[in-house]
Amino acid sequence: MDTQVMLNGVTVPARTGEWLVEVINRQGLELPQVCYHPQLGPVQTCDTCLVDVGGELVRSCATRVTPALAVRTETSAASQARLAAFDKILGNHLLYCTVCDNNNGNCEVHNTTGLLNIQHQVVPYHPKPFLVDNSNPFYRYDPDQCILCGRCVEACQNLQVNETLTINWEDAHPRVLWDGGKPINESSCVSCGHCVSVCPCNALMETSMLGEAGLATGLPQPVFQQAVDLVKAAEPSIGYRPILQLSETEEAMREGKNKRTKTVCTYCGVGCSFEVWTDKRHILKIEPTHGPANGVSTCVKGKFSWDYVNSKERLTTPLIRGEGGFREATWDEALALIARRFSEIRQESGPDALAFIASSKTTNEEGFLMQKLARAVIGTNNMDNCSRYCQSPATMGLWRTVGYGGDSGSISDIESAGLVIGIGTNTAESHPVLATRVKRSHKLRGQRLIVADLREHEMAQRADLFVKPRPGTDFVWLNAVSRYILDQGLEQQAFIERWVNDFDAFRNTLQAYTLEYAEGVTGISQEQLKQIAQEIVAADGTCILWAMGVTQQMGGSETSTAISNLLLLTGNYMRPSAGSYPLRGHNNVQGASDMGAMPDRVTGYQRVTDPEVRAKYQAAWGVPLPTNKGLDNHQMVEAIHAGSLRGMYIKGEEMSIVDSNANHVDAALEKLDFFVVQDVFFSHTASFADVVLPASPSLEKDGTFTNTERRVQRLYQVFEPLGQSRPDWQIIQGVANALGAGWNYTHPSQIMDEIASLTPLYAGVTYERLEGFKSLQWPVHPDGSDSPLLFVNGFPFPDGKARFYPAQWVPPVEPPDLEYDLHFNNGRMLEHFHEGNMTFKSPGTTQKVPGTFLEVSPELAQERGLQNGSVVRLVSRHGAIRLSVLVTNRVFGRQLYMPMNTQDAAQAVNRLTGSHADLSTHTPAYKDTAVRMEVLSLDGTTPLPRTNHRYGHPTPQRGVEVERKWQRADYTFPGDLPDLPQIASEMLENAGAD
């Protein structure tokens, strides 16, 4: 607080430049503000927050604080103007609160009616000549209840920045429009839910709420309409107060029926947190409010794709393989069998004949117990998690150069950066809520955006510069940019001299990377390379985001190293709004590695080869620990084929589909002597198992997740486990105790206490410090202070300095040739998560994208005679699949793209990919695959339904454009109404108000 405001004669603290309404709210004054939302800023459509500033009526939501501002909220003119403004709103809305599913204490129209003590409205309700839009599977829009506040438009245009919604202010009957007037399900709407979350009334509502939330809701027509008519008929005689009292009684009764529980999303690494509203096991809605990573934002998956939790396909009892297939078993029987077979294998072949794979979707506590089971109970370091499939190269590049394998700052730093560079990341689809922050800053603040990718996805379309490097050549252009900066003397010499070692050796490694050489290898012009360099140098902070397009290459670690080298060269570490941001793909892929689910490191990336580290763990666990580096996922498959690995325990990973060269992996899983799979569903991987254990998803347990920005957050149990399923931590403890471990954890908080005691990065993490929506970003010191900015006083090396690392280019090993003449690319898409084991259980999501398909460029389609729906067979050196074609401008030339999600294991992307991998981390080179195409049928049905948002046409504008409303002939600023006192008097009739 740097200034003061005189508020109703009292001096109160304030911040220069903040919105006046925030000062008023902090003081607890009851001021109406129907359209204002703190995460949207001033919308200025409702005029209900008018106050007197120096004798003039102003909107407090759009008035900036200046020193010595004199504000009065309760003058007669201000009070009467607010009443008149709200009366206009009531003309657009039927108050039938008792039978409304939105009568849950958070309806701005209901609450403002009570706050202003209104008895009667002067402007009569006037219905609009439009039908309710029920076309979207997730939410509906009722124009007759819409108050035209514009919150939804502001959220769509300037927060989500999908730019679908507008209001036709010039029309005789304004309403919210999708793509200028299309049905919702035929528009560019991505079903992110922003509009529904910020709607202040019941105009936009989740379909899962309709007829479900209230005690008196769900009435069939015409009974529902009769109830509404009864309420409206009573209002002229009794006023609104008795009607509101009845609805508030019903609202209070709902509190015993409906539960609200905070959780953290299990889709992607952004770490959105929100409340889950439930009635028994029915999910009423997901309500984002003030999550530290997401605020009010969600994506289609986090907002609407939770159906899988109640799916009839859930595993609910242990299964044991018999002669005729799987049979149901008791927990005691399953655990006893696991203990017996694991013990036999260990006795016959040693502990390293067993291997364990933790899940990046389960909690930190469960990842910790999995590696503890492997090391302390079995005695092996054969331990890994799915970061091996995606993020290990990024971590390696950061370990080499700056010492920590995590994001340099927070999502807020990405939003405030002067320049964002995205390399090999389809951020708008893989990390949609994080992408909204970039899109918002780019649109409203002028942030610069550069994208390097093979496909022209949304972020590429929005970019100030979009470059298309040849597959697998990012390392070359990054080094060429670094060399150009050095050649021009544009490096941050002072930063380098103070904070970075090995500068001369790094300079020498760049000699070959001239602009001319880079242009020849990558296809990016020299002028574009110069522009990239100049933009980085000129920017007030550069953040580089990268993902699987970089890491899933033969040289993924080398390219990640080159990214970090470039940031060090330009001084983009140790400051806000800058740094390296490897975007984590799964909700807890950062946490799984943090917890030591790795073959060479225990928790907090402490090396298993360090005697002091082993001594600490041995003292805590009371057992000796193995000293040798274990096998990673990639090595486990080869060890199975070699016969040295006989048993495996996988928790929550679809290894047979998501590992590369799936046919090779399937063959390995078939060879295992004993195989345990623990999952929520009977996955394709489970089909190879000897024992299948039914696990509980996140909504059925307590725990913590760590997101891509190193943010640790709590999730709370919403439901009891379904059937006989159990939280993963309880299952792992059961397995350990069947093997004689004697563990006695009764709650995940006890596990976190143990983690904190052994892990410097998590030293100050406790459940109390993470209560509710509170969070901590590691390193967390023992006193609970955390590190939103990762590098402040240096780098975690002995001398406190970072290191330039002499990375080497590793070219692709499978470039297209005469036989395999097409490059095969693959990745995620917005609607589905990874292979789709969870999201395909959501009917609405599946309606949007029923399955996978092959993106083909228009030029290749013309060459091969293909059209939407044509069926082709792709053949690689490793396998073949059959699928339908989608012709799209998103891909170019002889490059193909296939989403990794599918309901058919035979169609999996990884039937085509090979076993070659990053040389440093063994992360599969999924993006380094060549194929040939065989056309099976030219005719067919398009694989992407016409209800998908990709067919829509957004209508960008600068928010709600309230100025157009003010220009309407029927709009008058409330303070200028000549009959203002009379309007106020009629509204307050019989209310006993002044």
Side-chain angles (χ1 to χ4, degrees):
M1 304 296 177
D2 64 346
T3 189
Q4 294 178 328
V5 168
M6 185 66 69
L7 181 59
N8 294 333
V10 178
T11 301
V12 299
R15 286 184 292 268
T16 300
E18 72 174 319
W19 300 119
L20 177 57
V21 68
E22 291 294 328
V23 180
I24 296 170
N25 289 343
R26 277 201 303 273
Q27 297 306 309
L29 299 182
E30 292 186 325
L31 179 74
Q33 44 201 277
V34 173
C35 74
Y36 180 71
H37 190 288
Q39 293 178 53
L40 300 177
V43 183
Q44 303 187 75
T45 53
C46 74
D47 294 334
T48 61
C49 68
L50 295 173
V51 296
D52 183 307
V53 174
E56 179 185 0
L57 291 185
V58 299
R59 299 178 183 92
S60 59
C61 71
T63 301
R64 297 280 189 185
V65 167
T66 57
L69 204 65
V71 183
R72 293 185 296 167
T73 63
E74 299 305 323
T75 64
S76 176
S79 299
Q80 292 175 2
R82 293 196 294 263
L83 285 167
F86 189 65
D87 189 55
K88 293 275 286 186
I89 289 173
L90 290 179
N92 281 314
H93 186 85
L94 266 175
L95 278 168
Y96 53 77
C97 306
T98 307
V99 292
C100 175
D101 284 293
N102 200 50
N103 182 38
N104 299 293
N106 59 352
C107 176
E108 296 288 352
V109 179
H110 175 284
N111 294 346
T112 304
T113 303
L115 174 64
L116 294 177
N117 203 14
I118 292 171
Q119 293 305 298
H120 304 283
Q121 62 188 87
V122 177
V123 176
Y125 167 72
H126 48 277
K128 305 176 187 73
F130 309 113
L131 297 176
V132 175
D133 190 334
N134 289 303
S135 64
N136 185 277
F138 304 115
Y139 70 95
R140 69 99 173 96
Y141 172 58
D142 185 350
D144 273 347
Q145 292 300 97
C146 178
I147 62 173
L148 298 173
C149 69
R151 272 192 186 184
C152 59
V153 175
E154 196 73 21
C156 184
Q157 290 285 342
N158 290 343
L159 184 57
Q160 162 66 18
V161 199
N162 202 60
E163 302 173 316
T164 299
L165 272 58
T166 58
I167 293 177
N168 54 339
W169 290 116
E170 292 75 20
D171 195 88
H173 301 283
R175 66 178 175 119
V176 178
L177 303 177
W178 278 253
D179 284 4
K182 293 286 187 181
I184 298 173
N185 225 31
E186 296 176 20
S187 73
S188 59
C189 172
V190 295
S191 301
C192 66
H194 283 64
C195 60
V196 188
S197 294
V198 301
C199 180
C201 59
N202 63 339
L204 285 160
M205 286 195 67
E206 300 87 347
T207 55
S208 53
M209 284 278 284
L210 300 177
E212 299 284 351
L215 299 172
T217 60
L219 299 173
Q221 291 288 3
V223 179
F224 176 83
Q225 191 57 51
Q226 291 170 353
V228 174
D229 293 342
L230 181 65
V231 172
K232 297 311 295 180
E235 181 264 324
S237 60
I238 68 172
Y240 278 130
R241 180 182 294 171
I243 295 172
L244 293 184
Q245 287 175 340
L246 177 62
S247 67
E248 286 160 5
T249 300
E250 198 266 354
E251 173 204 322
M253 295 172 66
R254 292 185 188 191
E255 293 182 8
K257 170 180 178 287
N258 302 335
K259 186 173 71 168
R260 306 179 189 184
T261 311
K262 183 255 185 174
T263 193
V264 181
C265 190
T266 52
Y267 295 116
C268 96
V270 173
C272 297
S273 55
F274 31 66
E275 289 184 323
V276 187
W277 291 31
T278 55
D279 177 8
K280 299 183 177 64
R281 284 198 72 95
H282 176 70
I283 298 176
L284 291 164
K285 69 171 175 175
I286 300 298
E287 181 78 349
T289 52
H290 51 277
N294 64 302
V296 76
S297 296
T298 47
C299 74
V300 58
K301 298 184 292 293
K303 179 72 173 176
F304 297 115
S305 297
W306 291 89
D307 311 55
Y308 74 91
V309 173
N310 291 319
S311 170
K312 294 180 179 179
E313 298 179 46
R314 282 279 304 276
L315 287 169
T316 57
T317 187
L319 302 175
I320 292 177
R321 183 184 294 277
E323 290 187 7
F326 287 93
R327 63 174 177 84
E328 293 186 354
T330 66
W331 274 105
D332 288 345
E333 183 184 10
L335 295 175
L337 175 60
I338 294 169
R340 178 172 64 82
R341 292 295 290 125
F342 278 6
S343 297
E344 289 172 352
I345 292 171
R346 181 174 56 180
Q347 184 175 0
E348 294 165 3
S349 304
D352 287 340
L354 292 159
F356 299 78
I357 297 177
S359 174
S360 58
K361 292 185 282 292
T362 61
T363 66
N364 285 319
E365 295 77 7
E366 292 162 342
F368 174 81
L369 288 192
M370 194 69 167
Q371 61 91 35
K372 183 177 181 180
L373 171 66
R375 293 182 165 112
V377 180
I378 297 297
T380 182
N381 282 321
N382 292 344
M383 179 75 241
D384 212 354
N385 72 87
C386 92
S387 68
R388 188 70 50 195
Y389 298 142
C390 54
Q391 282 297 322
S392 292
T395 301
M396 177 63 71
L398 296 177
W399 279 343
R400 288 170 171 177
T401 53
V402 293
Y404 280 145
D407 284 5
S408 302
S410 306
I411 293 171
S412 58
D413 288 296
I414 299 172
E415 184 173 9
S416 61
L419 169 66
V420 169
I421 302 177
I423 307 173
T425 167
N426 181 5
T427 318
E429 298 197 59
S430 297
H431 304 87
V433 169
L434 187 151
T436 65
R437 302 321 188 229
V438 177
K439 294 192 291 183
R440 175 182 175 89
S441 191
H442 183 253
K443 177 178 181 178
L444 302 181
R445 196 175 59 80
Q447 180 183 74
R448 299 289 292 176
L449 176 61
I450 296 174
V451 170
D453 214 315
L454 306 187
R455 297 170 69 237
E456 192 171 6
H457 46 64
E458 181 185 349
M459 300 306 283
Q461 292 169 349
R462 291 181 178 275
D464 299 293
L465 175 63
F466 169 43
V467 295
K468 301 186 291 292
R470 296 189 179 106
T473 64
D474 290 305
F475 180 89
V476 175
W477 73 259
L478 283 161
N479 272 7
V481 167
S482 290
R483 174 174 170 172
Y484 177 79
I485 288 171
L486 282 169
D487 288 347
Q488 299 299 311
L490 299 174
E491 72 275 14
Q492 284 292 323
Q493 192 62 43
F495 176 85
I496 295 167
E497 290 176 358
R498 175 67 181 87
W499 291 114
V500 195
N501 289 322
D502 304 322
F503 175 63
D504 290 335
F506 170 61
R507 181 194 287 270
N508 291 336
T509 66
L510 300 179
Q511 292 307 308
Y513 296 97
T514 63
L515 295 181
E516 182 180 13
Y517 172 74
E519 181 179 41
V521 171
T522 69
I524 303 173
S525 72
Q526 295 183 49
E527 290 306 311
Q528 288 174 322
L529 294 171
K530 289 179 183 178
Q531 181 181 343
I532 294 171
Q534 291 160 356
E535 295 246 15
I536 295 172
V537 171
D540 182 10
T542 295
C543 292
I544 299 183
L545 325 180
W546 74 103
M548 296 186 297
V550 168
T551 59
Q552 293 178 339
Q553 303 277 1
M554 288 293 295
S557 293
E558 307 306 301
T559 304
S560 298
T561 304
I563 289 170
S564 192
N565 283 337
L566 175 57
L567 290 165
L568 287 170
L569 184 69
T570 53
N572 278 295
Y573 278 114
M574 295 185 68
R575 55 159 296 180
S577 310
S580 53
Y581 294 84
L583 302 181
R584 308 307 194 184
H586 288 237
N587 59 294
N588 205 38
V589 70
Q590 181 71 58
S593 294
D594 292 350
M595 292 302 105
M598 307 173 74
D600 58 341
R601 299 172 192 246
V602 288
T603 59
Y605 307 100
Q606 303 169 92
R607 295 182 182 276
V608 298
T609 54
D610 186 331
E612 293 185 5
V613 170
R614 288 201 310 276
K616 176 174 63 173
Y617 278 80
Q618 287 168 182
W621 291 348
V623 295
L625 295 186
T627 60
N628 59 305
K629 178 180 179 292
L631 301 177
D632 60 39
N633 290 358
H634 182 80
Q635 294 168 323
M636 289 176 191
V637 172
E638 302 311 316
I640 296 170
H641 280 295
S644 59
L645 185 62
R646 297 177 53 200
M648 181 178 281
Y649 183 178
I650 292 181
K651 168 173 66 83
E653 291 297 339
E654 179 69 293
M655 184 176 181
S656 67
I657 290 180
V658 303
D659 200 349
S660 63
N661 202 349
N663 296 320
H664 184 62
V665 175
D666 284 357
L669 298 181
E670 288 177 342
K671 290 182 178 180
L672 284 167
D673 290 345
F674 190 68
F675 185 25
V676 179
V677 171
Q678 183 169 308
D679 214 323
V680 174
F681 297 105
F682 192 87
S683 62
H684 186 258
T685 302
S687 68
F688 297 95
D690 296 287
V691 178
V692 180
L693 302 177
S696 299
S698 63
L699 295 190
E700 295 174 3
K701 64 178 108 175
D702 291 325
T704 62
F705 292 150
T706 304
N707 78 343
T708 189
E709 53 179 355
R710 302 170 284 105
R711 187 182 301 278
V712 188
Q713 301 181 86
R714 278 185 70 175
L715 53 144
Y716 294 80
Q717 183 175 338
V718 178
F719 301 127
E720 289 298 316
L722 191 65
Q724 296 182 46
S725 68
R726 296 178 178 177
D728 292 271
W729 68 271
Q730 292 183 12
I731 299 174
I732 299 166
Q733 176 163 266
V735 172
N737 288 343
L739 287 160
W743 296 354
N744 58 356
Y745 304 105
T746 59
H747 190 267
S749 60
Q750 299 166 331
I751 306 171
M752 179 53 73
D753 290 342
E754 184 175 334
I755 294 166
S757 71
L758 294 168
T759 314
L761 292 182
Y762 279 69
V765 176
T766 67
Y767 271 40
E768 291 73 24
R769 288 171 177 158
L770 298 175
E771 187 175 357
F773 282 87
K774 291 187 289 188
S775 66
L776 296 166
Q777 290 173 266
W778 65 251
V780 183
H781 306 292
D783 64 0
S785 59
D786 68 340
S787 311
L789 189 63
L790 185 54
F791 308 110
V792 177
N793 299 315
F795 298 88
F797 291 113
D799 61 358
K801 290 187 175 184
R803 305 166 178 174
F804 285 115
Y805 187 91
Q808 302 294 320
W809 184 39
V810 181
V813 298
E814 272 201 32
D817 58 19
L818 291 177
E819 181 178 2
Y820 301 99
D821 59 331
L822 304 172
H823 177 264
F824 177 72
N825 190 15
N826 57 83
R828 293 197 172 98
M829 69 184 309
L830 174 67
E831 291 84 352
H832 286 290
F833 178 68
H834 214 52
E835 73 283 345
N837 280 359
M838 296 187 291
T839 48
F840 277 121
K841 307 301 188 297
S842 169
T845 307
T846 305
Q847 178 193 118
K848 291 289 186 180
V849 181
T852 193
F853 48 84
L854 183 70
E855 289 189 355
V856 174
S857 69
E859 52 268 41
L860 183 62
Q862 184 176 12
E863 176 188 311
R864 306 288 172 97
L866 302 173
Q867 59 186 0
N868 287 339
S870 296
V871 180
V872 299
R873 183 171 182 260
L874 294 185
V875 183
S876 75
R877 295 175 175 88
H878 319 286
I881 59 173
R882 169 181 171 150
L883 70 170
S884 296
V885 163
L886 183 73
V887 181
T888 173
N889 290 318
R890 286 189 289 272
V891 291
F892 303 95
R894 307 179 79 78
Q895 296 177 9
L896 308 173
Y897 181 83
M898 178 181 170
M900 63 175 63
N901 47 269
T902 179
Q903 299 192 68
D904 182 0
Q907 271 194 326
V909 161
N910 292 310
R911 300 290 172 204
L912 299 177
T913 57
S915 295
H916 44 283
D918 174 66
L919 301 183
S920 299
T921 65
H922 295 154
T923 294
Y926 298 94
K927 304 298 191 285
D928 186 6
T929 303
V931 298
R932 70 171 185 264
M933 178 190 293
E934 300 171 359
V935 180
L936 302 181
S937 172
L938 294 179
D939 298 323
T941 304
T942 178
L944 194 65
R946 288 289 169 180
T947 55
N948 189 276
H949 75 272
R950 291 167 180 82
Y951 295 110
H953 299 282
T955 50
Q957 62 182 41
R958 301 289 289 186
V960 73
E961 296 186 352
V962 67
E963 296 83 3
R964 291 165 47 206
K965 173 183 177 177
W966 298 340
Q967 292 168 5
R968 289 178 58 91
D970 59 358
Y971 175 80
T972 303
F973 183 68
D976 297 334
L977 290 170
D979 51 353
L980 187 59
Q982 178 62 30
I983 294 173
S985 175
E986 292 180 28
M987 294 179 69
L988 294 171
E989 182 182 344
N990 301 322
D994 294 334

